[in-house]
Amino acid sequence: ELASSLGQYLKHLKEHFKQPEPRVSISIIEAAPRVLPRMSEKASALVLKRLKSLGVHVETNKKVEAETADSLIVSGRPIKSHTVIWTSGVTNNPFFKNNASQFELSPNGKVVVDAHMRADKHVYVIGDNAFTQYSGLAQTALHDGIFVAKHILKKSNKKYQSKLPPVVVPIGENWAIFEYKKIRFGGIAGHLIRQAADFIGYKDILPFGRALGVWRAQKVKEEAVYYAEPKAE
């Protein structure tokens, strides 16, 4: 998502500031066997094709081992680099690791919970911290929160069931990949679904008017220009 947007934004800056075409190449180094490994192989293939069309170079099954002043060491091989941007996934709150004797932890450090999202009779663990099938996604966190609230208020005593959420990921301007169960597609249709999802998310936490304003602000391109103030005589 970031790599696909970065190239287009650099092009926008070049045009805005009327600068010559910069010699910029963007590469993604991914330790997993494919991009977006939690999505289907078909979805990953669509995204890879889209990234290549945007001029983004992708290397999978490679690990970043070190960084020097002008390069990255990737699986034992140096790659010249002027700028490095590190993005990481979701990790568990260190509270649980620091109190490991009080919790049962999964191999990836998440808390093992029972059928009602409890780590203990009176302790619930939800969202990214819980060891459930789709933890790490915002929709899963919302699903967990609603489930536990109903259980605490004694409005339901049903057992927890993981719910596969729809996933939509923007890849560059006016393009996104959408996937839900066996339905998947990329392009402008996915972009429109992402736009609608963003607005719904804003509306959930803001009044309608403010939500609409924040949603519309996504289309605004901003440039930060730094300059030295003249010294006072």
Side-chain angles (χ1 to χ4, degrees):
E1 184 174 345
L2 175 60
S4 61
S5 299
L6 188 59
Q8 291 180 316
Y9 186 60
L10 291 173
K11 182 179 179 181
H12 167 72
L13 290 179
K14 180 210 69 164
E15 294 172 351
H16 179 81
F17 292 108
K18 297 180 174 57
Q19 295 296 314
E21 184 72 37
R23 295 183 61 188
V24 174
S25 62
I26 299 173
S27 298
I28 294 177
I29 310 299
E30 172 59 63
R34 53 190 173 88
V35 293
L36 297 180
R38 294 186 66 173
M39 298 181 75
S40 69
E41 292 187 11
K42 291 182 179 179
S44 292
L46 283 172
V47 170
L48 180 61
K49 183 178 179 180
R50 168 65 174 172
L51 288 168
K52 288 182 177 179
S53 73
L54 295 173
V56 178
H57 176 66
V58 180
E59 293 197 30
T60 55
N61 271 323
K62 303 288 178 65
K63 292 185 178 180
V64 176
E65 298 170 339
E67 179 186 1
T68 68
D70 60 358
S71 66
L72 280 180
I73 308 302
V74 178
S75 297
R77 177 172 60 93
I79 297 178
K80 292 292 183 181
S81 178
H82 182 270
T83 302
V84 175
I85 300 174
W86 180 279
T87 63
S88 61
V90 176
T91 188
N92 214 24
N93 192 299
F95 170 83
F96 298 103
K97 183 178 180 180
N98 295 337
N99 295 274
S101 62
Q102 305 298 316
F103 300 95
E104 180 184 353
L105 301 182
S106 67
N108 62 353
K110 293 181 181 290
V111 179
V112 176
V113 293
D114 66 11
H116 293 100
M117 300 297 290
R118 295 177 301 194
D120 184 79
K121 184 177 180 180
H122 302 293
V123 179
Y124 294 88
V125 180
I126 64 175
D128 298 350
N129 293 308
F131 184 50
T132 59
Q133 187 173 4
Y134 303 112
S135 67
L137 299 174
Q139 301 98 314
T140 299
L142 290 170
H143 173 65
D144 293 358
I146 293 170
F147 172 85
V148 169
K150 288 181 178 179
H151 193 263
I152 291 174
L153 295 172
K154 302 187 183 303
K155 291 185 176 181
S156 172
N157 197 38
K158 292 181 180 179
K159 292 184 178 181
Y160 178 82
Q161 289 186 336
S162 296
K163 184 177 180 181
L164 173 66
V167 178
V168 56
V169 182
I171 309 294
E173 193 170 12
N174 298 326
W175 199 101
I177 181 74
F178 172 85
E179 184 171 59
Y180 181 61
K181 296 182 178 180
K182 294 185 178 181
I183 302 173
R184 75 186 60 84
F185 49 83
I188 187 67
H191 167 71
L192 293 175
I193 291 176
R194 175 59 186 241
Q195 291 290 298
D198 284 347
F199 177 71
I200 292 171
Y202 293 137
K203 189 172 67 64
D204 284 345
I205 59 175
L206 294 171
F208 183 88
R210 289 188 62 191
L212 182 61
V214 173
W215 179 76
R216 292 178 63 185
Q218 293 181 126
K219 292 293 185 181
V220 177
K221 292 185 174 67
E222 298 182 359
E223 299 81 29
V225 180
Y226 300 93
Y227 60 93
E229 292 283 356
K231 293 181 179 180
E233 294 295 336

